[in-house]
Amino acid sequence: MTPSATAQKIDIIHWITELNDLSVLDKVSAIKEGASGIPHAELLSIERGLDDFEQGKITPHEQVKKRYEKWL
């Protein structure tokens, strides 16, 4: 990263910390979400699901189908 990019990032961070305009903050958030294409809340949800899977905190699909078959 070039020194000018670092300085620019620091300047933007400082500007955001002083910002009180919610409409501008919403726009900055939208830009941030657009960078990955997936909203932050959805990424957190996916990460929680993957953590649950890794820890074995899952219910097999067939078991769920049996439990709810009367409503399906």
Side-chain angles (χ1 to χ4, degrees):
M1 181 174 358
T2 64
S4 62
T6 302
Q8 188 174 11
K9 287 180 181 183
I10 291 170
D11 185 48
I12 291 170
I13 291 167
H14 178 60
W15 173 72
I16 289 173
T17 61
E18 299 295 320
L19 192 58
N20 292 317
D21 186 333
L22 289 177
S23 67
V24 175
L25 288 170
D26 287 342
K27 290 176 185 174
V28 171
S29 292
I31 291 169
K32 179 181 165 257
E33 289 175 3
S36 70
I38 301 173
H40 182 69
E42 288 182 31
L43 286 173
L44 290 176
S45 180
I46 291 167
E47 287 174 9
R48 281 192 309 269
L50 290 173
D51 287 342
D52 285 348
F53 176 76
E54 288 173 1
Q55 296 173 18
K57 297 178 184 177
I58 58 172
T59 304
H61 184 251
E62 289 303 316
Q63 211 175 5
V64 173
K65 279 176 48 178
K66 280 183 184 179
R67 186 180 301 160
Y68 295 101
E69 68 185 338
K70 61 184 169 189
W71 292 292
L72 297 177

